[in-house]
Amino acid sequence: MASGRLGASDLSATTNTSVYTVPASKVATVSVSICNRNATSVTVRLAVSTSGTPNDADYLEYDTTIDANSVLERTGIVMDETKVLVAYASGTGVSVVAYGFEGNA
């Protein structure tokens, strides 16, 4: 069973990025920290999807503004096997860390 930091990424601008994928035959409970390291605000998106390209119904956050040098945190995200945590930012200078634990499905 994995625990702790499950995935991390320094996001590219306007690009969907797969931050973490639950392994087959596992489930995960994940918390996500999205950090805006810029002196200006950015907008972000966060989804749990079946692929790296989320459908409209997959989004947990959509074009949510994170102020300069601030953070958005989401906790208690339960994901089943092979689900993908996908993040997106309107600009560079945004990092995402997913942490939590995996268990058997």
Side-chain angles (χ1 to χ4, degrees):
M1 174 171 69
S3 64
R5 185 168 143 164
L6 301 174
S9 184
D10 184 15
L11 299 179
S12 297
T14 66
T15 303
N16 285 324
T17 301
S18 297
V19 178
Y20 167 68
T21 302
V22 181
S25 301
K26 300 286 184 183
V27 295
T29 299
V30 179
S31 294
V32 180
S33 178
I34 305 174
C35 179
N36 177 10
R37 304 184 320 269
N38 295 292
T40 58
S41 64
V42 295
T43 58
V44 297
R45 300 174 187 173
L46 184 66
V48 174
S49 182
T50 57
S51 73
T53 306
N55 295 313
D56 289 345
D58 296 334
Y59 285 98
L60 304 172
E61 299 283 346
Y62 194 88
D63 288 350
T64 300
T65 299
I66 302 178
D67 292 332
N69 303 308
S70 294
V71 66
L72 169 70
E73 292 190 340
R74 290 292 303 253
T75 61
I77 302 168
V78 179
M79 300 170 62
D80 56 345
E81 63 181 327
T82 69
K83 288 297 188 294
V84 182
L85 183 70
V86 182
Y88 169 102
S90 61
T92 59
V94 179
S95 52
V96 179
V97 178
Y99 50 97
F101 66 93
E102 297 172 348
N104 293 326

